[in-house]
Amino acid sequence: MILTAFSLFALREIPFSRSDFPRWQSVLAIFLIGVLVGLDPSFRAAPSGAPDQPLWLAVFLGRALTWVCFLVSVAVLRWWMKRGGRWDGHGDLFNLMAAAWLVADTLGAGLTALGVPPLLTLPLWLYSMWVAGNALAGAIPKASLGYGIAGIVIGLVPALVASGLVGVVMASLVPGGAGA
């Protein structure tokens, strides 16, 4: 998976057959990204002088929100790429997207966890969308780069809404409001 992820990060087009690696590797990659997202200092900071939430809770929340975003994005992409007969449904889209997310999103989340301001990591997050769009265009011959990026952007809307809802529900379940 790691060689595939670096190839995608370098914007090399790869066929779906390169994403035929064990599912546990994809699960581990998304888990790692989620942990790094949870280590973001803003996940722990509570507004208006309230006590910060514990690190374990922030990491748990980061993992949960990352998984929600990933799964919703993959579901939307599965629908989007099948539109117009562009993709026949063969190939492991889950593994392909996990490999596409691995390098750029790990770098972005890692830098954010180190306290780098979001404005400075924004180019890396935008590049991550380019990497995923390029991965789709390379694996699906009938899909263009623009169509792949459009699918990524369209998938972000319900993914962010779903992760926001999960965040609100989780915050309401934690005693003291978890930063509320």
Side-chain angles (χ1 to χ4, degrees), residues 98-164:
W101 278 35
L102 181 60
V103 178
D105 288 18
T106 298
L107 286 172
L111 288 172
T112 303
L114 292 173
V116 175
L119 188 59
L120 295 178
T121 60
L122 180 62
L124 194 52
W125 294 111
L126 294 174
Y127 184 70
S128 174
M129 292 191 322
W130 189 278
V131 169
N134 190 65
L136 291 167
I140 302 170
K142 293 181 183 177
S144 67
L145 174 62
Y147 194 82
I149 291 174
I152 301 295
V153 171
I154 290 169
L156 279 177
V157 174
L160 292 176
V161 168
S163 65

Side-chain angles (χ1 to χ4, degrees), residues 14 35 39-40 66 69 77 82 86 88 90 96 106 113 115 131 144 157 159 164 168 170:
I14 63 167
V35 167
L39 292 175
D40 177 354
T66 300
C69 278
L77 283 172
K82 287 182 179 180
R86 284 177 179 80
D88 59 6
H90 292 94
L96 181 70
T106 298
V131 169
S144 67
V157 174
V168 167
M170 290 178 77

Side-chain angles (χ1 to χ4, degrees), residues 6 14 17 20 27 33 54 56 72 82 88 108-109 112 131 135 141 146 157 166-167 173 180:
F6 278 109
I14 63 167
S17 61
D20 287 340
V27 169
I33 294 167
W56 68 266
V72 170
K82 287 182 179 180
D88 59 6
T112 303
V131 169
V157 174
V166 168
L173 296 176

Side-chain angles (χ1 to χ4, degrees), residues 84-97:
R86 284 177 179 80
W87 180 44
D88 59 6
H90 292 94
D92 196 336
L93 189 62
F94 185 95
N95 280 359
L96 181 70
M97 287 297 96

